[in-house]
Amino acid sequence: MARSKRDFLSLLDFSPEELKEITRRGSELRSADHQPQTLTGKSAVLIFQLNSTRTRVAFEVGMKQLGGHAVILSPADSQLGRGEPIEDMARVLSEMVDVVIIRTSSQSLLEQFAAASSIPVINAMSERYHPCQLLADIQTFEELKGPIEGKTVSFVGDGYNMCNSYINAALQWGFHLKIASPEGYLPDPELVKSTNNVEVAGSAEQAVKGADLVVTDVWSSMGHEGEEDTRTEVFEPFQVNERLLDHAGNDVLFMHCLPAHRGEEVSETLLEDPRSVVFQEAGNRLHSQKALLEFLLNSD
Ligand code: CP
């Protein structure tokens, strides 16, 4: 019997075993000589209300590599948010395609859309979570260092959607997460309390001490562009640079979801440091998202 449709709005929508299988499969697809045609005849719609390079290209190319097809809707092309009820659009697209992938500044819009849709809905980033990025990050860590379970991860920077997804990931993959954010930019305390695996550190140095992986994100995410001047001042002690990484474990890795602002949340040279794996991480967006699509569209 076919299972009912699944959505991927946050990492908590899947079990730890399912997430591990997706990242394992992502690595398998990364090293495959020929891409399997597992999505032949399948179609995806991508609705991007906010800009994207990596996420959008990874889904579009990923669908194509596996034999499927993707239709891209930019804010100018789509009726979403222009008066047509969200539920109507969800029901219409459910009649036409196999999966809907949405980037929006509203997690509640995603949830409303998914509730009315009879096909899977994927969160391609919202103001609350960025679960697709975490699939690539964990896949990359495990390709280079083995299982992340039991390791120490440090998130330094804005307690926003990437940090929130790392909190979810700490629970799902069983690693210890240490967070350092400026006062006023800490993650949601309720989310922090949702798992015993998360600790808020007093400084960036304390957060990275002994870390196996250090992660950061831009100081002003999409939607906060007008706050750049204020944020630059308060985030300055939280820049990730070579000196900060020296406080971490000997074979620490550094990741950033990109785009990065050199001279702000990272030093001018950090992305070229041997500890940085940001380009393998970015490339794995393609393979982990293919594995996600296979999981959602082919698991009967
Ligand atoms: N990291 C990330 O989501 O990149 P894009 O905004 O380019 O998709």
Side-chain angles (χ1 to χ4, degrees):
M1 192 176 73
R3 71 172 189 201
S4 59
K5 72 110 177 184
R6 302 280 299 276
D7 300 308
F8 188 57
L9 306 187
S10 89
L11 293 170
L12 302 182
D13 285 328
F14 290 176
S15 70
E17 293 69 31
E18 289 170 335
L19 292 169
K20 285 174 194 161
E21 173 51 24
I22 290 167
T23 53
R24 184 206 64 75
R25 176 65 172 159
S27 291
E28 189 171 79
L29 291 171
R30 178 173 186 252
S31 55
D33 290 336
H34 302 287
Q35 294 296 298
Q37 298 303 285
T38 43
L39 298 185
T40 300
K42 305 282 188 188
S43 299
V45 165
L46 279 67
I47 302 173
F48 277 67
Q49 294 189 318
L50 301 165
N51 293 345
S52 168
T53 300
R54 283 144 285 267
T55 311
R56 180 183 147 163
V57 171
F59 275 122
E60 186 174 0
V61 172
M63 283 297 292
K64 175 92 178 145
Q65 284 189 357
L66 299 183
H69 178 71
V71 176
I72 316 286
L73 292 180
S74 71
D77 303 323
S78 157
Q79 300 285 11
L80 197 64
R82 288 168 172 249
E84 181 173 18
I86 289 163
E87 290 81 1
D88 286 1
M89 186 180 264
R91 289 170 66 185
V92 168
L93 292 178
S94 297
E95 296 288 329
M96 294 185 181
V97 297
D98 301 285
V99 59
V100 180
I101 298 154
I102 304 177
R103 173 169 285 195
T104 170
S105 54
S106 170
Q107 184 77 13
S108 65
L109 179 148
L110 271 170
E111 288 165 6
Q112 206 180 334
F113 193 104
S117 165
S118 60
I119 56 172
V121 177
I122 296 175
N123 179 359
M125 196 188 83
S126 72
E127 88 293 7
R128 182 71 174 167
Y129 296 120
H130 196 358
C132 293
Q133 182 68 50
L134 265 288
L135 295 179
D137 287 16
I138 305 297
Q139 178 183 323
T140 306
F141 183 91
E142 296 198 332
E143 284 170 354
L144 294 165
K145 300 287 179 189
I148 199 165
E149 185 172 0
K151 300 286 193 203
T152 298
V153 177
S154 167
F155 185 94
V156 179
D158 194 5
Y160 195 57
N161 52 7
M162 274 299 296
C163 184
N164 292 343
S165 281
Y166 263 93
I167 293 172
N168 288 165
L171 177 68
Q172 296 291 63
W173 272 277
F175 58 78
H176 184 58
L177 178 65
K178 295 199 284 181
I179 299 168
S181 307
E183 227 19 77
Y185 299 92
L186 286 157
D188 174 0
E190 289 304 312
L191 194 59
V192 172
K193 275 194 270 173
S194 68
T195 163
N196 293 330
N197 296 2
V198 177
E199 161 191 359
V200 175
S203 67
E205 286 76 11
Q206 284 173 20
V208 304
K209 197 166 186 308
D212 301 288
L213 170 63
V214 173
V215 185
T216 191
D217 192 6
V218 293
W219 289 343
S220 297
S221 293
M222 277 184 266
H224 296 141
E225 288 88 353
E227 301 170 25
E228 274 156 4
D229 288 348
T230 326
R231 284 174 174 251
T232 299
E233 200 176 319
V234 295
F235 276 89
E236 203 262 321
F238 295 83
Q239 184 189 72
V240 181
N241 51 42
E242 289 84 340
R243 249 178 308 112
L244 184 68
L245 278 196
D246 291 343
H247 290 268
N250 283 339
D251 61 351
V252 66
L253 297 180
F254 169 71
M255 293 191 197
H256 187 310
C257 61
L258 304 180
H261 295 184
R262 290 170 174 84
E264 295 183 18
E265 78 277 3
V266 287
S267 59
E268 292 287 349
T269 46
L270 188 66
L271 300 194
E272 311 311 324
D273 187 280
R275 295 168 287 189
S276 164
V277 293
V278 297
F279 295 105
Q280 180 170 334
E281 176 193 9
N284 274 334
R285 297 296 305 279
L286 172 63
H287 307 295
S288 57
Q289 286 173 202
K290 283 187 295 192
L292 172 65
L293 289 164
E294 275 189 339
F295 177 82
L296 287 172
L297 299 183
N298 281 344
S299 299
D300 286 345

